[in-house]
Amino acid sequence: ATTGTTVGHALDRVLIEVIPKKAPATQREYIRYAAALRPIFADCALCDVRPTHIAQYLDMSSAKIQANREIALLSLVYRSAIKWGWCDTNPCLGVERNAENRRTRYIEDHELETLREHASDQMRAMIDLVYLTGMRKGDMLKLRLSDLREDGIFVEQNKTGKRQIFEWTDALREVVDRARGLRRRVGSLYLFAGMNGQAYTSSGFDSLWQRMKRKTGLEDLHFHDLRAKTGSDSDSDAAAAKLLGHADPRTTRNTYRRRG
């Protein structure tokens, strides 16, 4: 091991060599987590950090779930440092993470209908598209008309970089035809666009969602719960995993297979 090499040195190298290979959304998250880790660990020699220090960090953090993510990045830093010969052990291994309460909210069929009844024509098409495909909000918002191909809807997932084709069904064609028929600014490239013809920002869409949700009385619903309903209503874990684009069916089963 290279005695005296700091966590900061290893973190810098990971940000240069490892993180750019991740999906864009993951890169942004890791950069944020790295900024949180630096004040505590950057000046520490890699070999000086002990599991007890990791446990203290997790325990003292006010943002318990984010602290788990930050330590996951630190564990990646140590795995990389071991590969480079900079240290011999990973102090993050075996340290219990903060408890995370898994979200279990399932949208009942009648609640989905309530949402649709109170939605604008555009929002209703968005809801229907996400329910049929399980598409993430960010991927739905950036859909371009050019993504509507002969064999289906093409999506390159912003979160993972994975490419998917959602094959056409009669129901999916009906929703997309309805969305394409909405009034839009001439020359807009997007399936769902604001008044300016551009794609909605995440915060802009969230404002529309919250406004609609207040009319329904379903204040505890998240838009992401639609994706979970898609996973829950699929015939099997394998079918849900394929639709949602998960490489590991356990992710689907643990997070997206909810029951009412």
Side-chain angles (χ1 to χ4, degrees):
T2 306
T3 306
T5 306
T6 66
V7 173
H9 292 139
L11 187 57
D12 288 340
R13 185 170 172 182
V14 163
L15 287 173
I16 293 169
E17 296 183 11
V18 180
I19 302 307
K21 298 174 184 176
K22 306 288 186 183
T26 305
Q27 291 182 42
R28 290 192 293 272
E29 289 172 355
Y30 277 167
I31 289 168
R32 194 171 80 245
Y33 301 153
L37 291 169
R38 279 187 193 283
I40 309 298
F41 292 106
D43 294 333
C44 299
L46 284 163
C47 299
D48 288 346
V49 179
R50 300 284 180 264
T52 186
H53 300 137
I54 305 301
Q56 288 170 3
Y57 184 88
L58 289 163
D59 188 49
M60 293 174 66
S61 175
S62 57
K64 299 296 186 187
I65 307 307
Q66 181 162 319
N68 287 349
R69 308 290 183 269
E70 290 158 4
I71 293 303
L73 171 59
L74 188 60
S75 185
L76 170 62
V77 169
Y78 269 93
R79 291 199 306 275
S80 300
I82 289 169
K83 185 173 69 175
W84 299 327
W86 288 8
C87 64
D88 297 319
T89 59
N90 181 349
C92 303
L93 294 181
V95 179
E96 186 175 351
R97 303 297 197 259
N98 293 319
E100 299 190 25
N101 295 323
R102 184 169 69 88
R103 185 165 173 80
T104 58
R105 181 66 163 90
Y106 173 78
I107 301 178
E108 301 286 353
D109 290 349
H110 67 87
E111 292 176 321
L112 181 62
E113 282 310 307
T114 299
L115 287 173
R116 296 183 75 258
E117 286 167 11
H118 288 83
S120 66
D121 290 343
Q122 186 178 62
M123 180 65 79
R124 189 178 303 117
M126 290 173 165
I127 290 170
D128 291 345
L129 181 71
V130 168
Y131 177 56
L132 288 173
T133 63
M135 203 178 290
R136 289 184 178 89
K137 178 183 76 174
D139 295 331
M140 179 269 294
L141 292 178
K142 70 172 188 175
L143 272 181
R144 292 172 174 255
L145 296 173
S146 57
D147 294 326
L148 308 176
R149 303 183 177 182
E150 270 191 40
D151 51 348
I153 302 174
F154 172 77
V155 170
E156 183 171 344
Q157 294 184 6
N158 185 52
K159 184 174 181 181
T160 66
K162 180 173 182 176
R163 296 180 173 187
Q164 275 183 289
I165 289 282
F166 295 100
E167 295 180 5
W168 292 117
T169 62
D170 290 345
L172 190 55
R173 281 193 183 279
E174 187 277 328
V175 172
V176 169
D177 286 346
R178 197 172 357 120
R180 294 188 71 157
L182 295 171
R183 188 174 177 184
R184 73 180 67 241
R185 184 162 184 162
V186 174
S188 175
L189 303 176
Y190 298 94
L191 181 62
F192 300 111
M195 299 280 286
N196 60 0
Q198 296 302 308
Y200 287 101
T201 62
S202 183
S203 60
F205 172 82
D206 288 345
S207 296
L208 293 176
W209 172 256
Q210 295 296 338
R211 197 153 57 232
M212 181 210 70
K213 206 168 61 167
R214 281 194 290 272
K215 300 176 188 174
T216 68
L218 301 171
E219 292 286 348
D220 64 328
L221 288 189
H222 299 173
F223 189 79
H224 194 68
D225 293 335
L226 282 168
R227 181 168 157 84
K229 180 170 177 60
T230 304
S232 299
D233 292 353
S234 295
D235 292 336
S236 66
D237 288 353
K242 182 180 179 183
L243 190 59
L244 300 181
H246 291 151
D248 187 347
R250 288 176 298 181
T251 303
T252 315
R253 185 165 58 250
N254 293 338
T255 306
Y256 293 96
R257 296 286 276 174
R258 305 175 188 173
R259 288 291 179 266

